Amino acid sequence: MATARQSEAGTSEALERDAEALHEALSGLVRLYQFRDRDQICCFDVSVPQCYGLEALVRDGPLTLGELAGRLYLDKSTASRVVDALQRKGYVNRAPHPGDRRALQLEVTPAGRQLVDRIRVSLVEDAKAVLGDLSPSFRREAARFLHRLTEVTATRLGHGPGGASGDGRAVPTASACRAGECD
C-alpha cells in the first residue's frame, strides 16, 4: 500500500513530467507563431510589435502611451518608437487626453482599423488551414485550454489584462529585472 509520502512523490514527478511536456509544446508553438506572424504581418508594411500595438488600440483604445506599453509588455520608450512608426504610416493619431492635460491619448485612424481587419482575416485564414483536419470538439477544447492557460499564467505572474500588474503598473521588463527592480 502506498504511503502518503510515496503518493506525493508520484504526484510531484507527474507534475514535473507534465510541466516539461507543456514547456516543450508551448516553446515549439510560440516559435512557429513568431515566424508565422513575422512572415505574414510584415507583408502589410508593419512590424509584429506595430501590429500588436494596433490590435491593442482597436481592442482597448484609446490608450495612453503607458497603457499601451503595459499591454505590449514593452518599455515606454520602445512603445513610443512603435507608435512613432505607426503615426508616420498614418495608422495612429496622438490627441490630447480628455482627463489629463499633461497626457496624450493614442487613437487608431480608419486606415489603422482597416489594416488590423485585413491582417486578422489573413491570420484567421491561416488558423483555419491549421485547424481544418482537427475535430470540432478538439478545436473548441484547444481554444478553451489556451485561454485558461493564459489566464492562469497571467495570475501566477501577477499580471493583469494586457500586461498590467495587479497594482496597475506595467509588467517589469527584462532590463528592470536585470537592474534588480523586479520582486
Side-chain angles (χ1 to χ4, degrees), residues 58-144:
V58 166
R59 183 183 58 247
D60 304 326
L63 300 170
T64 65
L65 182 62
E67 290 167 336
L68 181 62
R71 281 170 175 75
L72 299 178
Y73 303 98
L74 296 174
D75 289 321
K76 203 171 172 182
S77 63
T78 304
S80 180
R81 287 189 295 278
V82 167
V83 171
D84 288 345
L86 290 171
Q87 188 173 23
R88 277 192 309 276
K89 294 175 183 183
Y91 299 133
V92 171
N93 285 325
R94 288 179 166 102
H97 190 286
D100 184 352
R101 291 187 305 167
R102 300 167 297 160
L104 292 175
Q105 189 169 272
L106 306 172
E107 300 170 340
V108 177
T109 65
R113 193 171 298 278
Q114 288 173 348
L115 179 64
V116 168
D117 290 344
R118 287 185 13 241
I119 292 171
R120 180 168 299 282
V121 166
S122 174
L123 295 177
V124 168
E125 285 301 314
D126 185 61
K128 285 168 47 179
V130 168
L131 297 173
D133 292 333
L134 303 173
S135 73
S137 62
F138 181 84
R139 295 188 310 243
R140 286 189 299 275
E141 191 56 36
R144 277 194 293 273

Coordinates of all heavy atoms in Angstrom, one line a residue, residues 58-144:
V58 N -7.2 49.0 -31.2 CA -8.5 48.7 -31.7 C -9.3 48.1 -30.6 O -10.5 48.4 -30.4 CB -8.4 47.8 -33.0 CG1 -9.8 47.2 -33.3 CG2 -7.8 48.6 -34.1
R59 N -8.8 47.1 -29.9 CA -9.5 46.3 -28.9 C -9.8 47.2 -27.7 O -10.9 47.2 -27.1 CB -8.7 45.1 -28.5 CG -9.3 44.2 -27.5 CD -8.4 43.0 -27.1 NE -7.2 43.5 -26.5 CZ -6.0 43.3 -27.1 NH1 -5.8 42.7 -28.3 NH2 -4.9 43.8 -26.5
D60 N -8.8 48.0 -27.2 CA -8.9 48.6 -25.9 C -8.9 50.1 -25.9 O -9.1 50.8 -24.9 CB -7.8 48.2 -24.9 CG -7.7 46.7 -24.8 OD1 -8.8 46.0 -24.8 OD2 -6.6 46.1 -24.6
G61 N -8.6 50.7 -27.1 CA -8.3 52.1 -27.2 C -9.5 53.0 -27.0 O -10.6 52.5 -26.8
P62 N -9.2 54.3 -27.0 CA -7.9 54.9 -27.0 C -7.2 54.7 -25.7 O -7.8 54.5 -24.6 CB -8.2 56.4 -27.2 CG -9.7 56.6 -26.9 CD -10.3 55.2 -26.9
L63 N -5.8 54.7 -25.8 CA -4.9 54.5 -24.6 C -3.9 55.5 -24.5 O -3.5 56.1 -25.5 CB -4.3 53.1 -24.8 CG -5.1 51.9 -24.9 CD1 -4.3 50.6 -25.3 CD2 -5.8 51.6 -23.6
T64 N -3.3 55.7 -23.3 CA -2.1 56.5 -23.2 C -0.9 55.6 -23.6 O -1.0 54.4 -23.7 CB -1.9 57.0 -21.8 OG1 -1.7 55.8 -20.9 CG2 -3.1 57.7 -21.2
L65 N 0.2 56.3 -23.8 CA 1.4 55.5 -24.2 C 1.8 54.5 -23.1 O 2.1 53.3 -23.4 CB 2.6 56.5 -24.4 CG 3.9 55.8 -24.8 CD1 3.7 55.1 -26.2 CD2 5.0 56.8 -24.9
G66 N 1.7 54.9 -21.8 CA 2.0 54.0 -20.7 C 1.1 52.8 -20.7 O 1.5 51.6 -20.4
E67 N -0.2 53.0 -21.0 CA -1.2 51.9 -21.0 C -0.9 50.9 -22.2 O -0.9 49.7 -22.0 CB -2.6 52.4 -21.2 CG -3.1 53.1 -19.9 CD -4.4 53.9 -20.2 OE1 -4.7 54.3 -21.3 OE2 -5.1 54.1 -19.2
L68 N -0.5 51.5 -23.3 CA -0.2 50.7 -24.5 C 1.1 49.9 -24.2 O 1.2 48.7 -24.5 CB 0.0 51.5 -25.7 CG 0.3 50.7 -27.0 CD1 -0.8 49.7 -27.3 CD2 0.6 51.7 -28.1
A69 N 2.1 50.5 -23.6 CA 3.3 49.8 -23.3 C 3.1 48.6 -22.3 O 3.6 47.6 -22.5 CB 4.3 50.8 -22.6
G70 N 2.2 48.8 -21.4 CA 1.8 47.7 -20.5 C 1.2 46.6 -21.2 O 1.5 45.4 -21.0
R71 N 0.3 46.9 -22.1 CA -0.4 45.8 -22.9 C 0.5 45.1 -23.8 O 0.3 43.9 -24.1 CB -1.6 46.4 -23.6 CG -2.8 46.7 -22.7 CD -3.8 47.5 -23.4 NE -5.0 47.6 -22.6 CZ -5.2 48.4 -21.6 NH1 -4.2 49.1 -21.1 NH2 -6.3 48.5 -20.9
L72 N 1.6 45.8 -24.2 CA 2.5 45.1 -25.2 C 3.7 44.5 -24.4 O 4.6 43.9 -25.1 CB 3.0 46.1 -26.2 CG 2.0 46.8 -27.1 CD1 2.6 47.8 -28.0 CD2 1.2 45.7 -27.9
Y73 N 3.8 44.7 -23.1 CA 4.9 44.2 -22.3 C 6.2 44.8 -22.8 O 7.3 44.2 -22.9 CB 5.1 42.7 -22.4 CG 3.8 41.9 -22.0 CD1 2.9 41.4 -22.9 CD2 3.6 41.7 -20.6 CE1 1.8 40.8 -22.4 CE2 2.5 41.0 -20.2 CZ 1.6 40.6 -21.1 OH 0.5 39.9 -20.6
L74 N 6.2 46.1 -23.1 CA 7.3 46.9 -23.6 C 7.7 48.0 -22.6 O 6.8 48.5 -21.9 CB 7.0 47.5 -25.0 CG 6.8 46.5 -26.1 CD1 6.4 47.3 -27.4 CD2 8.0 45.7 -26.4
D75 N 8.9 48.5 -22.7 CA 9.3 49.7 -22.0 C 8.6 50.8 -22.7 O 8.2 50.7 -23.9 CB 10.8 50.0 -22.2 CG 11.7 49.0 -21.4 OD1 11.3 48.7 -20.2 OD2 12.7 48.6 -21.9
K76 N 8.3 51.9 -22.0 CA 7.6 53.0 -22.5 C 8.4 53.6 -23.7 O 7.8 54.0 -24.7 CB 7.4 54.1 -21.5 CG 6.3 55.1 -21.7 CD 6.1 55.9 -20.5 CE 5.1 57.0 -20.8 NZ 4.9 57.9 -19.6
S77 N 9.7 53.7 -23.7 CA 10.5 54.2 -24.8 C 10.4 53.4 -26.0 O 10.3 53.9 -27.1 CB 12.0 54.4 -24.4 OG 12.5 53.1 -24.1
T78 N 10.3 52.0 -25.9 CA 10.2 51.1 -27.0 C 8.8 51.3 -27.6 O 8.6 51.4 -28.8 CB 10.4 49.7 -26.6 OG1 11.7 49.6 -26.0 CG2 10.3 48.7 -27.8
A79 N 7.8 51.4 -26.7 CA 6.4 51.6 -27.2 C 6.3 52.9 -28.0 O 5.6 53.0 -29.0 CB 5.4 51.5 -26.0
S80 N 7.0 53.9 -27.5 CA 7.0 55.2 -28.2 C 7.5 55.1 -29.6 O 6.9 55.7 -30.5 CB 7.8 56.2 -27.3 OG 7.7 57.5 -28.0
R81 N 8.6 54.3 -29.8 CA 9.1 54.2 -31.1 C 8.1 53.4 -32.0 O 7.9 53.7 -33.2 CB 10.4 53.4 -31.1 CG 11.6 54.3 -30.6 CD 12.9 53.7 -30.7 NE 13.1 52.5 -29.9 CZ 13.5 52.5 -28.6 NH1 13.7 53.6 -28.0 NH2 13.6 51.4 -28.0
V82 N 7.4 52.4 -31.4 CA 6.4 51.7 -32.2 C 5.3 52.7 -32.6 O 4.9 52.7 -33.8 CB 5.8 50.6 -31.3 CG1 4.5 50.0 -31.9 CG2 6.8 49.5 -31.1
V83 N 4.8 53.5 -31.7 CA 3.8 54.5 -32.0 C 4.3 55.5 -33.0 O 3.5 55.9 -33.9 CB 3.2 55.2 -30.7 CG1 2.3 56.3 -31.0 CG2 2.5 54.1 -29.8
D84 N 5.5 56.0 -32.9 CA 6.1 56.9 -33.9 C 6.0 56.4 -35.3 O 5.5 57.1 -36.2 CB 7.5 57.2 -33.6 CG 7.7 58.1 -32.3 OD1 6.7 58.7 -31.8 OD2 8.9 58.2 -31.8
A85 N 6.3 55.1 -35.4 CA 6.3 54.5 -36.8 C 4.8 54.4 -37.3 O 4.6 54.6 -38.4 CB 7.0 53.1 -36.7
L86 N 3.9 54.0 -36.4 CA 2.5 53.9 -36.8 C 1.9 55.2 -37.1 O 1.1 55.3 -38.1 CB 1.7 53.2 -35.6 CG 2.0 51.8 -35.4 CD1 1.3 51.3 -34.1 CD2 1.6 50.9 -36.6
Q87 N 2.4 56.3 -36.4 CA 1.9 57.6 -36.7 C 2.4 58.1 -38.1 O 1.6 58.6 -38.9 CB 2.2 58.6 -35.6 CG 1.6 59.9 -35.8 CD 1.8 60.9 -34.6 OE1 2.8 60.7 -33.9 NE2 1.0 61.8 -34.5
R88 N 3.7 57.8 -38.4 CA 4.3 58.2 -39.7 C 3.5 57.5 -40.8 O 3.4 58.0 -41.9 CB 5.7 57.8 -39.7 CG 6.7 58.8 -39.1 CD 8.1 58.6 -39.5 NE 8.6 57.2 -39.2 CZ 9.0 56.8 -38.0 NH1 9.0 57.6 -37.0 NH2 9.4 55.5 -37.9
K89 N 3.1 56.3 -40.6 CA 2.4 55.5 -41.6 C 0.9 55.8 -41.7 O 0.2 55.3 -42.6 CB 2.6 54.0 -41.3 CG 4.0 53.5 -41.5 CD 4.2 52.1 -41.1 CE 5.6 51.7 -41.2 NZ 5.8 50.3 -40.9
G90 N 0.4 56.7 -40.8 CA -1.0 57.1 -40.8 C -2.0 56.2 -40.2 O -3.2 56.3 -40.4
Y91 N -1.5 55.3 -39.3 CA -2.3 54.3 -38.6 C -2.8 54.7 -37.2 O -3.7 54.2 -36.7 CB -1.7 53.0 -38.6 CG -1.3 52.4 -39.9 CD1 -0.1 51.9 -40.2 CD2 -2.3 52.4 -40.9 CE1 0.2 51.4 -41.4 CE2 -2.0 51.9 -42.2 CZ -0.7 51.4 -42.4 OH -0.4 50.8 -43.7
V92 N -2.1 55.7 -36.6 CA -2.4 56.1 -35.3 C -2.2 57.7 -35.2 O -1.4 58.3 -35.9 CB -1.3 55.5 -34.3 CG1 -1.5 56.1 -32.9 CG2 -1.5 54.0 -34.2
N93 N -3.1 58.3 -34.4 CA -3.0 59.7 -34.1 C -2.8 59.9 -32.6 O -3.3 59.1 -31.8 CB -4.3 60.4 -34.4 CG -4.4 60.6 -35.9 OD1 -3.5 60.8 -36.6 ND2 -5.7 60.6 -36.4
R94 N -2.1 60.9 -32.2 CA -1.9 61.3 -30.8 C -2.9 62.5 -30.6 O -2.9 63.4 -31.4 CB -0.5 61.7 -30.5 CG 0.5 60.6 -30.4 CD 1.9 61.1 -30.2 NE 2.8 60.1 -29.8 CZ 3.7 59.6 -30.6 NH1 3.8 60.0 -31.8 NH2 4.5 58.7 -30.1
A95 N -3.7 62.5 -29.6 CA -4.6 63.6 -29.3 C -4.5 63.9 -27.8 O -4.1 63.1 -27.0 CB -6.0 63.1 -29.7
P96 N -4.9 65.1 -27.5 CA -4.9 65.5 -26.0 C -5.9 64.5 -25.3 O -6.9 64.1 -25.7 CB -5.5 66.9 -26.0 CG -5.3 67.4 -27.4 CD -5.4 66.2 -28.3
H97 N -5.4 64.1 -24.1 CA -6.2 63.3 -23.2 C -7.3 64.1 -22.6 O -7.0 65.1 -22.0 CB -5.3 62.6 -22.2 CG -5.9 61.6 -21.4 ND1 -6.9 61.8 -20.4 CD2 -5.8 60.2 -21.4 CE1 -7.3 60.6 -19.9 NE2 -6.6 59.7 -20.5
P98 N -8.5 63.7 -22.7 CA -9.6 64.5 -22.1 C -9.6 64.7 -20.6 O -10.1 65.7 -20.1 CB -10.9 63.7 -22.6 CG -10.5 62.3 -22.9 CD -9.0 62.4 -23.3
G99 N -9.0 63.7 -19.9 CA -9.0 63.8 -18.4 C -7.7 64.3 -17.8 O -7.6 64.4 -16.6
D100 N -6.6 64.5 -18.6 CA -5.3 64.8 -18.1 C -4.6 65.7 -19.2 O -4.1 65.1 -20.2 CB -4.5 63.5 -17.8 CG -3.2 63.8 -17.2 OD1 -2.8 65.0 -17.1 OD2 -2.5 62.8 -16.8
R101 N -4.5 67.0 -18.9 CA -3.9 67.9 -19.9 C -2.4 67.6 -20.2 O -1.9 68.0 -21.2 CB -4.1 69.3 -19.5 CG -5.5 69.8 -19.5 CD -5.7 71.2 -19.3 NE -5.1 71.6 -18.0 CZ -4.8 72.8 -17.6 NH1 -5.1 73.8 -18.4 NH2 -4.3 73.0 -16.4
R102 N -1.8 66.8 -19.2 CA -0.4 66.5 -19.4 C -0.2 65.3 -20.3 O 0.9 65.1 -20.8 CB 0.3 66.2 -18.1 CG 0.2 67.4 -17.1 CD 0.6 66.9 -15.7 NE -0.4 65.9 -15.3 CZ -0.3 65.0 -14.3 NH1 0.8 65.0 -13.6 NH2 -1.2 64.2 -14.0
A103 N -1.2 64.5 -20.5 CA -1.1 63.3 -21.3 C -1.6 63.3 -22.7 O -2.5 64.2 -23.0 CB -1.8 62.2 -20.5
L104 N -1.1 62.4 -23.5 CA -1.7 62.3 -24.8 C -2.4 60.9 -24.9 O -2.1 60.0 -24.2 CB -0.6 62.3 -25.9 CG 0.1 63.6 -26.1 CD1 1.3 63.5 -27.0 CD2 -0.8 64.7 -26.6
Q105 N -3.4 60.9 -25.8 CA -4.2 59.7 -26.0 C -3.9 59.2 -27.4 O -3.8 60.0 -28.3 CB -5.6 60.1 -25.8 CG -6.6 59.0 -25.8 CD -8.0 59.5 -25.4 OE1 -8.2 59.6 -24.2 NE2 -8.8 59.9 -26.4
L106 N -3.7 57.9 -27.5 CA -3.4 57.3 -28.8 C -4.7 56.7 -29.3 O -5.4 56.0 -28.7 CB -2.4 56.1 -28.6 CG -1.1 56.5 -27.9 CD1 -0.2 55.3 -27.7 CD2 -0.3 57.6 -28.8
E107 N -5.0 57.0 -30.6 CA -6.2 56.6 -31.3 C -5.9 56.0 -32.6 O -5.0 56.5 -33.3 CB -7.2 57.8 -31.5 CG -7.6 58.4 -30.2 CD -8.3 59.8 -30.4 OE1 -8.2 60.3 -31.5 OE2 -9.0 60.2 -29.4
V108 N -6.6 54.9 -33.0 CA -6.4 54.3 -34.3 C -7.1 55.1 -35.3 O -8.3 55.5 -35.1 CB -6.9 52.9 -34.3 CG1 -6.8 52.2 -35.6 CG2 -6.1 52.0 -33.2
T109 N -6.5 55.3 -36.4 CA -7.1 56.0 -37.6 C -8.0 55.0 -38.3 O -7.8 53.8 -38.1 CB -6.1 56.6 -38.5 OG1 -5.4 55.5 -39.1 CG2 -5.2 57.6 -37.8
P110 N -8.9 55.4 -39.2 CA -9.7 54.5 -40.0 C -8.7 53.6 -40.8 O -9.0 52.4 -41.0 CB -10.5 55.4 -40.9 CG -10.7 56.6 -40.1 CD -9.4 56.8 -39.3
A111 N -7.6 54.1 -41.3 CA -6.7 53.3 -42.1 C -6.0 52.2 -41.2 O -5.8 51.1 -41.6 CB -5.6 54.2 -42.7
G112 N -5.8 52.6 -39.9 CA -5.2 51.6 -39.0 C -6.2 50.5 -38.7 O -5.8 49.3 -38.6
R113 N -7.5 50.9 -38.5 CA -8.5 49.9 -38.2 C -8.7 49.0 -39.4 O -8.8 47.8 -39.3 CB -9.8 50.6 -37.9 CG -10.9 49.8 -37.3 CD -12.1 50.6 -36.8 NE -11.7 51.5 -35.8 CZ -11.6 51.2 -34.5 NH1 -11.8 50.0 -34.1 NH2 -11.3 52.1 -33.6
Q114 N -8.7 49.5 -40.6 CA -8.8 48.7 -41.8 C -7.6 47.7 -41.9 O -7.8 46.6 -42.3 CB -8.9 49.6 -43.1 CG -10.2 50.3 -43.2 CD -10.1 51.3 -44.4 OE1 -9.1 51.6 -44.9 NE2 -11.3 51.8 -44.7
L115 N -6.4 48.2 -41.6 CA -5.2 47.3 -41.7 C -5.4 46.2 -40.7 O -5.1 45.0 -41.0 CB -4.0 48.1 -41.4 CG -2.7 47.3 -41.4 CD1 -2.4 46.7 -42.8 CD2 -1.5 48.2 -40.9
V116 N -5.8 46.5 -39.5 CA -6.0 45.4 -38.5 C -7.0 44.4 -39.0 O -6.8 43.2 -38.9 CB -6.4 46.0 -37.1 CG1 -6.9 44.9 -36.2 CG2 -5.3 46.7 -36.5
D117 N -8.0 44.8 -39.6 CA -9.1 43.9 -40.1 C -8.4 43.0 -41.2 O -8.7 41.8 -41.2 CB -10.2 44.7 -40.7 CG -11.1 45.3 -39.6 OD1 -11.0 45.0 -38.4 OD2 -11.9 46.3 -39.9
R118 N -7.7 43.6 -42.1 CA -7.0 42.8 -43.2 C -6.0 41.8 -42.6 O -6.0 40.6 -43.1 CB -6.3 43.8 -44.2 CG -7.3 44.5 -45.0 CD -6.7 45.4 -46.1 NE -5.3 45.2 -46.5 CZ -4.4 46.1 -46.4 NH1 -4.7 47.4 -45.9 NH2 -3.1 45.9 -46.7
I119 N -5.3 42.2 -41.7 CA -4.3 41.3 -41.0 C -5.0 40.1 -40.3 O -4.7 39.0 -40.5 CB -3.3 42.0 -40.1 CG1 -2.4 42.9 -40.9 CG2 -2.5 41.0 -39.3 CD1 -1.6 43.9 -40.0
R120 N -6.1 40.5 -39.6 CA -6.9 39.5 -38.9 C -7.4 38.5 -39.9 O -7.4 37.2 -39.6 CB -8.0 40.1 -38.0 CG -8.8 39.1 -37.3 CD -9.7 39.7 -36.2 NE -9.0 40.4 -35.2 CZ -8.3 39.8 -34.2 NH1 -8.3 38.6 -34.1 NH2 -7.7 40.6 -33.3
V121 N -8.0 38.9 -41.0 CA -8.5 38.0 -42.0 C -7.5 37.0 -42.4 O -7.7 35.8 -42.5 CB -9.2 38.8 -43.2 CG1 -9.4 37.8 -44.3 CG2 -10.4 39.5 -42.7
S122 N -6.3 37.5 -42.7 CA -5.2 36.7 -43.2 C -4.8 35.7 -42.1 O -4.6 34.5 -42.4 CB -4.0 37.6 -43.5 OG -2.8 36.8 -43.8
L123 N -4.7 36.1 -40.9 CA -4.2 35.2 -39.8 C -5.3 34.2 -39.5 O -5.0 33.0 -39.2 CB -3.8 36.0 -38.5 CG -2.6 36.9 -38.7 CD1 -2.4 37.7 -37.4 CD2 -1.4 36.1 -39.1
V124 N -6.6 34.6 -39.5 CA -7.7 33.6 -39.3 C -7.7 32.6 -40.4 O -8.0 31.4 -40.2 CB -9.0 34.4 -39.1 CG1 -10.2 33.4 -39.2 CG2 -9.0 35.2 -37.8
E125 N -7.5 33.0 -41.6 CA -7.5 32.0 -42.7 C -6.3 31.0 -42.5 O -6.5 29.8 -42.7 CB -7.3 32.8 -44.1 CG -8.5 33.4 -44.6 CD -9.7 32.5 -44.8 OE1 -9.5 31.4 -45.4 OE2 -10.8 32.8 -44.3
D126 N -5.2 31.5 -42.0 CA -4.1 30.6 -41.7 C -4.5 29.6 -40.6 O -4.2 28.4 -40.6 CB -2.9 31.4 -41.3 CG -1.7 30.5 -41.1 OD1 -1.2 29.8 -42.0 OD2 -1.2 30.5 -39.9
A127 N -5.2 30.1 -39.6 CA -5.6 29.3 -38.4 C -6.6 28.2 -38.9 O -6.6 27.1 -38.5 CB -6.2 30.1 -37.3
K128 N -7.5 28.6 -39.8 CA -8.5 27.7 -40.4 C -7.7 26.5 -41.1 O -8.1 25.4 -41.0 CB -9.4 28.4 -41.3 CG -10.5 29.2 -40.6 CD -11.3 30.2 -41.5 CE -11.8 29.7 -42.7 NZ -12.6 30.7 -43.4
A129 N -6.7 26.9 -41.8 CA -5.9 25.8 -42.5 C -5.3 24.9 -41.5 O -5.2 23.7 -41.7 CB -4.9 26.5 -43.4
V130 N -4.8 25.4 -40.4 CA -4.1 24.6 -39.4 C -5.2 23.7 -38.7 O -4.9 22.5 -38.5 CB -3.4 25.5 -38.3 CG1 -3.0 24.7 -37.1 CG2 -2.2 26.2 -39.0
L131 N -6.3 24.3 -38.4 CA -7.4 23.5 -37.7 C -8.2 22.6 -38.5 O -9.0 21.8 -38.0 CB -8.3 24.5 -36.9 CG -7.6 25.4 -35.9 CD1 -8.6 26.4 -35.4 CD2 -7.0 24.5 -34.8
G132 N -8.2 22.7 -39.8 CA -9.1 22.1 -40.7 C -9.1 20.6 -40.6 O -10.2 20.0 -40.7
D133 N -8.1 19.9 -40.2 CA -8.1 18.4 -40.1 C -8.4 18.0 -38.7 O -8.3 16.7 -38.4 CB -6.7 17.9 -40.6 CG -6.5 18.0 -42.0 OD1 -7.5 18.1 -42.8 OD2 -5.3 18.1 -42.4
L134 N -8.6 18.9 -37.8 CA -8.9 18.5 -36.4 C -10.4 18.5 -36.2 O -11.1 19.2 -36.8 CB -8.2 19.5 -35.5 CG -6.7 19.6 -35.6 CD1 -6.2 20.8 -34.8 CD2 -6.0 18.3 -35.3
S135 N -10.8 17.7 -35.2 CA -12.3 17.6 -35.0 C -12.8 18.9 -34.3 O -12.0 19.5 -33.6 CB -12.5 16.4 -34.0 OG -12.1 16.7 -32.7
P136 N -14.0 19.2 -34.5 CA -14.6 20.4 -33.9 C -14.5 20.4 -32.4 O -14.2 21.4 -31.8 CB -16.1 20.4 -34.4 CG -16.1 19.6 -35.6 CD -15.0 18.6 -35.5
S137 N -14.7 19.2 -31.8 CA -14.6 19.2 -30.3 C -13.1 19.5 -29.9 O -12.9 20.2 -28.9 CB -15.1 17.9 -29.7 OG -14.3 16.8 -30.2
F138 N -12.2 18.9 -30.6 CA -10.8 19.2 -30.2 C -10.4 20.7 -30.4 O -9.7 21.3 -29.6 CB -9.8 18.3 -31.1 CG -8.4 18.5 -30.7 CD1 -7.8 17.9 -29.6 CD2 -7.6 19.4 -31.4 CE1 -6.5 18.1 -29.3 CE2 -6.3 19.7 -31.1 CZ -5.7 19.0 -30.0
R139 N -10.9 21.3 -31.5 CA -10.6 22.7 -31.8 C -11.2 23.5 -30.6 O -10.5 24.5 -30.2 CB -11.2 23.1 -33.1 CG -10.6 22.4 -34.3 CD -11.0 22.9 -35.6 NE -12.5 23.1 -35.8 CZ -13.2 22.4 -36.7 NH1 -12.6 21.6 -37.5 NH2 -14.5 22.6 -36.8
R140 N -12.4 23.3 -30.2 CA -13.0 24.1 -29.2 C -12.3 23.9 -27.8 O -12.0 24.8 -27.1 CB -14.5 23.7 -29.0 CG -15.4 24.3 -30.1 CD -16.8 24.1 -29.8 NE -17.2 22.7 -29.7 CZ -17.5 21.9 -30.7 NH1 -17.5 22.3 -31.9 NH2 -17.8 20.6 -30.5
E141 N -11.9 22.6 -27.5 CA -11.2 22.4 -26.3 C -9.8 23.0 -26.3 O -9.4 23.5 -25.3 CB -11.1 20.8 -26.0 CG -10.7 20.5 -24.7 CD -11.5 21.1 -23.5 OE1 -12.7 21.2 -23.7 OE2 -10.9 21.5 -22.5
A142 N -9.1 22.9 -27.4 CA -7.8 23.5 -27.5 C -7.9 25.1 -27.3 O -7.1 25.6 -26.5 CB -7.2 23.3 -28.9
A143 N -8.9 25.7 -27.9 CA -9.1 27.2 -27.6 C -9.4 27.4 -26.2 O -8.8 28.4 -25.6 CB -10.2 27.7 -28.5
R144 N -10.2 26.6 -25.6 CA -10.5 26.8 -24.1 C -9.3 26.6 -23.3 O -9.0 27.4 -22.4 CB -11.6 25.9 -23.7 CG -13.0 26.3 -24.0 CD -14.1 25.5 -23.2 NE -14.2 24.2 -23.7 CZ -14.9 23.7 -24.7 NH1 -15.7 24.6 -25.3 NH2 -14.9 22.5 -25.0

